[in-house]
Amino acid sequence: MLSLSKWHQSGRKWSRNVSNASVNSGNAMEKAAHLENEGESEGQLNVRLLLGIERSDNDDDGRQVFKIGDLAREFGVTLRTLRFYEDRGLLSPERRGTTRLYSRKDRKRLRLVLLGKALGFSLTEARQMIDVYHQPNGRRRQLEVAIERFAEQRDVLLAQRREIEASIEAMDLSMDVVSHCLKDS
């Protein structure tokens, strides 16, 4: 986990990287940072659906194979996001010509990746938690790791919220002072 000071530094680097990514498209790392965060602009994900509390139409239809558009519609992500997750090794669809065919396992992995993103984890962190499943006593260990990481991430998010609230208070005060100065000039 990043410490808060490191988080601030990485946050500043990220915002520079995203703005540079559109200018300097030759840098693969900047493109990756931009694409990884693209999913964040796709709207709020339904966490209840991702956790399996709510059912989707595809949960009970018995299908074993899904096309890219099926998953994009179901989870509210773009085709580009799904292809990016494939490039990052998070999904492994079968290929028939140019058609991607996703298994139920891919669909479940996508659900877990999107849940990780919704909870503020990076793709690398989400992959690490998902991959624990393949270790001995995997299911139980995966749940133990998840609850541990969720608690850590919650602490990070609460600290970020406190910092954001302090910044908003400082912004409000600054706006009041500048407005007052403007009226006096």
Side-chain angles (χ1 to χ4, degrees):
M1 284 286 163
L2 290 174
S3 71
L4 233 31
S5 62
K6 286 183 183 174
W7 178 82
H8 282 297
Q9 292 168 354
S10 68
R12 283 193 295 272
K13 286 179 191 168
W14 178 82
S15 62
R16 277 197 310 263
N17 285 346
V18 170
S19 62
N20 289 342
S22 59
V23 174
N24 179 7
S25 61
N27 188 322
M29 291 301 289
E30 290 172 349
K31 281 196 241 179
H34 175 70
L35 286 172
E36 178 173 342
N37 290 291
E38 179 186 72
E40 295 171 11
S41 65
E42 294 175 347
Q44 290 294 331
L45 297 170
N46 181 345
V47 174
R48 297 178 66 81
L49 174 70
L50 297 175
L51 285 168
I53 297 169
E54 291 179 6
R55 310 292 287 179
S56 84
D57 294 339
N58 289 337
D59 284 334
D60 298 321
D61 69 3
R63 285 193 299 165
Q64 297 300 310
V65 177
F66 306 87
K67 291 185 179 178
I68 193 169
D70 298 333
L71 294 182
R73 276 187 298 282
E74 179 179 1
F75 292 106
V77 296
T78 64
L79 303 178
R80 184 175 181 182
T81 296
L82 291 173
R83 289 189 292 265
F84 179 70
Y85 290 167
E86 180 184 352
D87 289 343
R88 294 291 300 260
L90 294 161
L91 303 173
S92 303
E94 180 185 328
R95 300 289 285 244
R96 286 200 193 132
T98 58
T99 303
R100 290 170 169 86
L101 299 175
Y102 294 87
S103 66
R104 288 191 89 62
K105 178 184 168 191
D106 287 317
R107 185 172 164 273
K108 184 169 187 130
R109 282 183 69 90
L110 175 60
R111 180 179 285 205
L112 293 173
V113 167
L114 294 174
L115 176 63
K117 291 293 287 176
L119 298 177
F121 292 101
S122 70
L123 291 179
T124 301
E125 292 168 321
R127 178 204 311 257
Q128 290 169 347
M129 286 188 284
I130 293 167
D131 288 347
V132 169
Y133 185 80
H134 301 293
Q135 296 176 0
N137 197 16
R139 179 162 163 55
R140 179 167 181 78
R141 183 68 188 127
Q142 186 181 45
L143 295 171
E144 291 168 349
V145 167
I147 197 70
E148 236 174 74
R149 298 299 307 277
F150 289 0
E152 292 170 3
Q153 183 67 9
R154 185 176 191 279
D155 291 343
V156 169
L157 293 172
L158 289 171
Q160 290 174 359
R161 179 174 26 179
R162 287 190 296 272
E163 289 182 8
I164 289 169
E165 288 170 353
S167 293
I168 290 171
E169 286 179 33
M171 181 64 72
D172 290 343
L173 178 61
S174 299
M175 289 172 65
D176 288 345
V177 168
V178 170
S179 292
H180 184 71
C181 289
L182 194 59
K183 287 178 186 174
D184 290 347
S185 63

